[in-house]
Every structure is written in structure tokens, then in C-alpha cells.
């Protein structure tokens, strides 16, 4: 199953999804880094990076089909997000299979 199909099925089945945006990659090879955005209530929004750490990044990367994260950037490293802040103070332990089951406000 391709990443595109995996994303489609995640979106349809759970109506909750994440994506990576804001990468500065100019190559024809897509970047695997960027700002994590969340789809909830039929709208894309952002995750506050106030308490974002490597455990949260590991979970996000696994949701997107990667093994783990290499690092967790903060301070709007990939630019400010737009739309509502759907998740604030995300606190994953690192072993979860979805950001949506981690603690967040």
C-alpha cells in the first residue's frame, strides 16, 4: 500500500490525520521533515510546540510510516502554522501508535 493510500484510509476511517508541511526542501525528493499538522473537525490545524519533544515526534513519525524521529524541532522552526491549534501540551510516552491517544489539551 502506498503512503498516499495509507493516508486516504486513515482519513476516511478515523477522520483524524496528520501531515508534514513547511519543509524547505527544494529537491525532487520529498523532505521527511517539517511542521506536523492535524486534521480534526473537517479542518487542518496545528500542534503547539510548547512541550513538543522527541517522544511526540517518534509517535508522529510512526503515524506517517517512518520508524522513528531523528529530532524534535521547536520554536516554530518550520514556520508558524495556520488554523486552529488542535493540540496543545502534547505528552506522548513514545510507545503510542497515534498522537490522538497521547495526553494533550
Amino acid at each position: 500500500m502506498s503512503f498516499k493510500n495509507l493516508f486516504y484510509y486513515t482519513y476516511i476511517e478515523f477522520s483524524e490525520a496528520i501531515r508534514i508541511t513547511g519543509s524547505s526542501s527544494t529537491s525532487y525528493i520529498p523532505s521527511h521533515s517539517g511542521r506536523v499538522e492535524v486534521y480534526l473537525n473537517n479542518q487542518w490545524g496545528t500542534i503547539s510546540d510548547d512541550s513538543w519533544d522527541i517522544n511526540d515526534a517518534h509517535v508522529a513519525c510512526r503515524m506517517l510510516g517512518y520508524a522513528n524521529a531523528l529530532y524534535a524541532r521547536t520554536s516554530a522552526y518550520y514556520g508558524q502554522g495556520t488554523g486552529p491549534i488542535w493540540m496543545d501540551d502534547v505528552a506522548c510516552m513514545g510507545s503510542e501508535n497515534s498522537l490522538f491517544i497521547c495526553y494533550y489539551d
Side-chain angles (χ1 to χ4, degrees):
M1 179 180 292
S2 72
F3 174 74
K4 182 177 178 181
N5 289 339
L6 178 64
F7 178 80
Y8 176 77
Y9 290 123
T10 300
Y11 168 76
I12 295 300
E13 185 173 343
F14 301 114
S15 297
E16 299 171 340
I18 66 170
R19 67 181 179 189
I20 296 176
T21 62
S23 172
S24 60
S25 176
T26 57
S27 168
Y28 67 91
I29 300 172
S31 174
H32 303 295
S33 61
R35 181 179 60 255
V36 180
E37 294 188 344
V38 177
Y39 189 81
L40 283 173
N41 300 326
N42 298 316
Q43 184 178 5
W44 286 101
T46 62
I47 298 175
S48 170
D49 66 4
D50 293 342
S51 62
W52 186 258
D53 65 17
I54 194 66
N55 291 325
D56 308 323
H58 284 321
V59 174
C61 285
R62 282 198 304 276
M63 284 182 74
L64 293 167
Y66 304 111
N68 276 311
L70 298 177
Y71 45 80
R73 303 281 193 195
T74 59
S75 302
Y77 185 85
Y78 295 102
Q80 289 287 119
T82 59
I85 298 174
W86 288 129
M87 297 176 132
D88 189 16
D89 296 325
V90 176
C92 298
M93 296 183 66
S95 59
E96 299 88 348
N97 60 6
S98 172
L99 287 174
F100 299 103
I101 60 173
C102 297
Y103 170 83
Y104 64 91
D105 287 332

